């Protein structure tokens, strides 16, 4: 008598592992854009470490991967969500640097975003304290 260990048995084993993983991840944060960025940065450093062997790259890769997995398996969802929101805000700010200048009001230190233009001097009025100041854009 011969035991069948064909494709059907493999599918059952994979389904059991998938269910165990799903049960493990319940209540955990999972993957977000910041985690994907951390993994991509680690992969870039791995590629660089192939050409430039350096202990600093190895240590940094290890730290990035540990932090990434810590974030993915964390049960503190609100803290991880705040970290991801801060990452998203930073990305938005970096994208806006191409099209806008950012200034601080000399009166109240409010951040003011002004569209870029070709080297003009512009009078800016702070929306918060109504202080007027001139900047070259």
């Amino acid at each position: 008598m011969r035991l069948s260990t064909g494709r059907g048995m493999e599918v059952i084993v994979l389904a059991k592992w998938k269910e165990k993983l799903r049960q493990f991840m319940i209540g955990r944060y999972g993957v977000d854009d910041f985690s994907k960025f951390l993994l991509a940065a680690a992969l870039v450093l791995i590629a660089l470490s192939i050409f430039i062997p350096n202990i600093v790259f190895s240590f940094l890769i290890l730290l990035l991967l540990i932090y990434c997995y810590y974030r993915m398996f964390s049960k503190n969802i609100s803290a991880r969500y705040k970290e991801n929101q801060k990452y998203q805000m930073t990305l938005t700010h970096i994208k806006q640097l191409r099209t806008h200048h950012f200034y601080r009001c000399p009166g109240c230190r409010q951040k003011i975003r002004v569209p870029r233009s070709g080297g003009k001097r512009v009078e800016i009025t702070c929306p918060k304290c109504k202080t007027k100041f001139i900047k070259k854009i």
Side-chain angles (χ1 to χ4, degrees):
M1 188 167 159
R2 204 172 142 214
L3 292 173
S4 174
T5 58
R7 179 126 170 96
M9 189 61 132
E10 291 172 1
V11 171
I12 293 171
V13 171
L14 287 176
K16 286 181 182 179
W17 276 101
K18 185 176 179 182
E19 180 61 24
K20 285 182 182 181
L21 180 63
R22 190 183 71 74
Q23 287 292 324
F24 175 73
M25 289 302 289
I26 289 176
R28 298 186 189 274
Y29 189 66
V31 180
D32 62 3
D33 290 336
F34 188 43
S35 296
K36 290 176 186 177
F37 169 75
L38 292 172
L39 281 174
L43 287 175
V44 167
L45 288 176
I46 288 170
L48 281 174
S49 70
I50 292 171
F51 301 109
I52 309 168
N54 192 339
I55 192 74
V56 175
F57 281 150
S58 300
F59 186 67
L60 194 56
I61 291 166
L62 183 64
L63 285 178
L64 285 173
L65 290 175
I66 288 172
Y67 185 59
C68 181
Y69 281 105
Y70 167 75
R71 284 180 45 75
M72 285 193 279
F73 296 136
S74 174
K75 288 191 173 187
N76 190 351
I77 293 173
S78 62
R80 304 296 83 82
Y81 179 77
K82 286 178 185 175
E83 290 171 356
N84 190 49
Q85 289 300 312
K86 192 169 185 177
Y87 169 73
Q88 294 291 339
M89 293 290 289
T90 303
L91 275 183
T92 302
H93 184 73
I94 290 171
K95 289 177 183 175
Q96 287 180 354
L97 284 175
R98 295 182 203 145
T99 58
H100 294 82
H101 281 286
F102 290 88
Y103 297 109
R104 288 221 180 254
C105 171
C108 64
R109 307 299 294 164
Q110 170 76 31
K111 274 188 187 177
I112 301 170
R113 184 179 69 140
V114 181
R116 287 184 182 264
S117 60
K120 298 179 187 175
R121 294 181 70 82
V122 175
E123 183 179 38
I124 301 168
T125 303
C126 176
K128 187 175 179 183
C129 68
K130 307 299 183 212
T131 302
K132 295 185 179 190
F133 56 99
I134 297 174
K135 290 288 183 178
K136 183 177 179 181
I137 297 180

